[in-house]
Amino acid sequence: MRMLLATAGSRGDVEPFAALARRAVRAGHQVRLVVPDRSGADLSGLDVVSMGVDYTAMIEQQGVSVAAAIRSYRSTVQPLMRAVIIESARAAWDFEPEVLVAHPKILSAGLVADALGIPHALVEIVPVMTPTTAFPAAGTSSRDLGRFNRHTYRAAGAGRAMFRRDLRDVSRLLGRTPGPAAPPAATLLPISAALLERPTDWPETVHLTGSWTLDRAGALSAETADFIAGGDFIYAGFGSMSSGDPAARAREVLGGIREAGFRALLVTGLGGLAVPPQLHGSDVHVTDSVAHAPVFAAATAAVHHGGIGTVHAATAAGAVSVLAPFIADQPFWGARLREKGLAPDPIPQRRLTADRLSAALSGVERFRPAVRAAAHRMAEEDGTGSALRVLEGLR
């Protein structure tokens, strides 16, 4: 089967698609992956086409502030989304796949699938598109609204309306009369049931598959490996969450880790932490990035922003997470982990202090049994295999 997989966003949006692409290739399918530039994901050996956008550059320039995104909407966000919408459509049209698999940001996916006469599948990296009364859409309300939870999923439709002109241009490119596209034939959520139980009011076409992860763990530098071998430590890193004062945040994070009596492995990422020289010491190792699997397997706990990729990786490795959510779906995962007894109460990043972090770290052992049980459950899942079986059934 010829499959086109298209995704947009940062590393956490690209890596699951790369994992699914590798699994599909191993199964004998012809797969093309359409992605943004410089995501940081390992795409080696895959048939990759660029959509000509760079989310990493946007994060480096303006961070992850919602206010900054609003201010730069016309100059940055709108042109970027136009490229995502049009270039992914062009890539799919040129490839002529038999099935199209798309991230929710690929707003043109349904139009292209209709024009080609093929099924398409929507991939909800986090639950934001399929309404349920079980919980609010990730990134909306931080509390359960009961039967009103379903209304929070309307936000996704409102976002689509912002790019009507670009979607009309896609229709013209495809030789179609502008109008609505058919709904996806399937919706895939690459999320473990250990973290999120499937709501009973989801349609049968919606599949909670388990996480999509690469088979290989990744290599560590000699310096990082030596530090890990030196005894108990806490991982702290915030991925692409460039916001606020990263040096002040590093002081609070390191202060909390030291106060709790641990060594610290600090990962600076795209600017979530900046560690001044005066904070360095024999109990601290600083690096810009690490392979999560081997680090989390050795860590006592992982202090992070709560992106679903990091939540999956930490839980699968048996590391207790201490979340400091910044934006979007991160408070949602903080609430889910707390509800399931997998983590202490999240500490919003603006309230992250050494004292609060030290208190959270001092109590992580009471969450260890539940995290280990979740890790065992996740080890039995085959997310990419489950997703591939759904896609193969769409022919």
Side-chain angles (χ1 to χ4, degrees):
M1 182 190 295
R2 289 170 65 84
M3 297 182 178
L4 186 125
L5 279 55
T7 186
S10 60
R11 182 173 182 170
D13 298 287
V14 177
E15 284 188 332
F17 278 77
L20 179 60
R22 292 187 192 282
R23 181 62 175 267
V25 168
R26 287 207 309 270
H29 299 290
Q30 186 176 352
V31 183
R32 178 163 292 175
L33 187 59
V34 185
V35 296
D37 298 331
R38 292 203 310 143
S39 69
D42 177 10
L43 306 178
S44 58
L46 295 172
D47 178 4
V48 177
V49 172
S50 169
M51 60 179 59
V53 300
D54 189 337
Y55 282 87
T56 299
M58 183 175 70
I59 292 168
E60 289 171 343
Q61 292 166 8
Q62 64 185 41
V64 294
S65 164
V66 174
I70 293 172
R71 288 194 301 270
S72 67
Y73 175 77
R74 290 187 180 277
S75 63
T76 303
V77 177
Q78 198 282 329
L80 182 144
M81 275 300 297
R82 178 175 175 81
V84 167
I85 291 167
I86 292 180
E87 295 308 318
S88 60
R90 198 187 309 277
W93 187 252
D94 291 343
F95 186 62
E96 297 183 350
E98 296 169 88
V99 65
L100 173 58
V101 184
H103 187 285
K105 288 189 177 78
I106 312 297
L107 300 177
S108 52
L111 297 175
V112 176
D114 283 359
L116 291 171
I118 62 172
H120 79 283
L122 173 70
V123 178
E124 291 186 57
I125 300 290
V126 296
V128 294
M129 304 292 290
T130 305
T132 177
T133 58
F135 43 74
T140 58
S141 174
S142 59
R143 61 189 181 91
D144 190 340
L145 302 175
R147 62 190 178 90
F148 295 105
N149 282 332
R150 296 184 67 90
H151 297 296
T152 63
Y153 292 83
R154 295 176 179 174
R160 185 181 184 88
M162 297 171 64
F163 303 101
R164 285 192 297 264
R165 180 174 65 86
D166 305 302
L167 292 171
R168 285 197 298 267
D169 289 344
V170 168
S171 294
R172 295 189 188 98
L173 175 69
L174 303 174
R176 283 175 47 92
T177 300
T187 297
L188 307 174
L189 288 94
I191 300 168
S192 172
L195 304 179
L196 187 76
E197 297 294 339
R198 186 187 188 281
T200 58
D201 58 355
W202 273 356
E204 292 183 358
T205 55
V206 180
H207 306 270
L208 191 75
T209 65
S211 64
W212 302 351
T213 55
L214 298 173
D215 294 336
R216 49 190 182 278
L220 297 176
S221 69
E223 293 82 3
T224 299
D226 287 345
F227 182 82
I228 287 176
D232 292 344
F233 70 95
I234 304 295
Y235 164 97
F238 301 101
S240 59
M241 296 297 104
S242 177
S243 177
D245 185 342
R249 186 177 300 120
R251 283 192 292 271
E252 297 297 334
V253 167
L254 185 53
I257 293 172
R258 283 172 165 161
E259 189 176 323
F262 293 101
R263 299 181 310 138
L265 193 163
L266 305 181
V267 179
T268 57
L270 288 182
L273 292 173
V275 187
Q278 61 268 28
L279 294 184
H280 287 235
S282 60
D283 63 337
V284 180
H285 176 62
V286 180
T287 183
D288 60 349
S289 66
V290 292
H292 278 162
V295 169
F296 289 161
T300 298
V303 180
H304 59 92
H305 54 302
I308 183 55
T310 312
V311 169
H312 269 132
T315 307
V320 178
S321 290
V322 177
L323 269 58
F326 285 62
I327 58 169
D329 61 305
Q330 296 159 18
F332 176 87
W333 295 115
R336 302 287 82 75
L337 294 187
R338 181 189 61 225
E339 289 170 1
K340 286 184 167 292
L342 297 171
D345 289 346
I347 309 170
Q349 64 93 8
R350 293 182 182 276
R351 300 177 58 197
L352 181 60
T353 64
D355 288 345
R356 288 191 177 100
L357 180 56
S358 175
L361 291 174
S362 296
V364 294
E365 289 307 317
R366 67 189 178 96
F367 300 99
R368 187 82 56 200
V371 171
R372 285 176 175 162
H376 179 74
R377 186 175 179 185
M378 292 173 72
E380 296 179 337
E381 295 175 339
D382 179 15
T384 54
S386 296
L388 187 57
R389 286 189 288 274
V390 173
L391 296 175
E392 290 170 339
L394 298 181
R395 285 188 287 192

